Amino acid sequence: MQKNINNQYKKLLEQADKAKENAYSPYSGFKVGATILTKDGNTIDGCNVENAAYGSTMCAERTAIYKAVSMGYKPGDFQAISIASSGDNFSPCGACRQVISEFGTDIDLVYKWNDKIVVEKLKTLLPYSFSLNEE
Ligand code: THU
């Protein structure tokens, strides 16, 4: 069920939109930015980083998650992740959904679809997700 879009989430999406300008995407020309809102009120940005060996490319969402983990954040610490791209409609790829699920299936994902801001929980976008942790 989509939640009401609050001002905090609007700002979070604007921050991801700015973060996308740091994208390194000379091969696809497609820019993506992601911003994590942590439960302790911090925000952490990521962008996509491409590589000449295409498979070595890293998505914006995972860049942000791995950055947060390297700062000391753990599963359960994230409230929301906003994602903005240079395309019209965007929602996170399957690999990013799986990686986000490791850190909490209740995390809100915030992104634009058909010019509307969508807020959906990870578990809605990735039901029956694979996990080695019992929940
Ligand atoms: N990309 C992301 O950053 N996040 C996604 O969820 C899907 C795709 C990036 C990877 C690549 O640099 C570009 O978008 C085109 O696939």
Side-chain angles (χ1 to χ4, degrees):
M1 182 72 138
Q2 187 175 328
K3 292 175 32 170
N4 286 335
I5 289 71
N6 59 35
N7 245 353
Q8 189 181 33
Y9 280 4
K10 270 188 196 157
K11 279 197 187 148
L12 201 68
L13 194 55
E14 281 166 20
Q15 191 169 327
D17 199 53
K18 282 199 188 113
K20 90 174 188 307
E21 295 311 316
N22 290 330
Y24 176 73
S25 52
Y27 304 105
S28 71
F30 194 76
K31 292 172 186 263
V32 186
T35 303
I36 297 173
L37 175 64
T38 63
K39 288 182 183 167
D40 66 0
N42 200 0
T43 56
I44 298 152
D45 291 338
C47 62
N48 54 332
V49 182
E50 297 188 345
N51 193 273
Y54 295 170
S56 301
T57 289
M58 184 47 62
C59 291
E61 300 91 314
R62 281 178 284 159
T63 301
I65 296 249
Y66 299 152
K67 189 167 153 188
V69 171
S70 71
M71 292 164 72
Y73 287 101
K74 305 257 182 300
D77 288 346
F78 304 148
Q79 183 187 319
I81 305 177
S82 62
I83 313 110
S85 81
S86 52
D88 279 342
N89 287 338
F90 180 88
S91 82
C93 78
C96 287
R97 291 177 196 204
Q98 176 63 29
V99 169
I100 295 167
S101 78
E102 183 80 22
F103 293 88
T105 55
D106 275 332
I107 295 172
D108 284 325
L109 302 186
V110 185
Y111 53 90
K112 259 193 185 162
W113 196 269
N114 286 339
D115 283 331
K116 282 200 177 131
I117 298 177
V118 173
V119 180
E120 291 286 2
K121 295 218 171 280
L122 186 278
K123 63 185 167 201
T124 306
L125 295 187
L126 190 68
Y128 301 100
S129 60
F130 174 71
S131 171
L132 292 177
N133 304 310
E134 287 174 33
E135 282 189 11

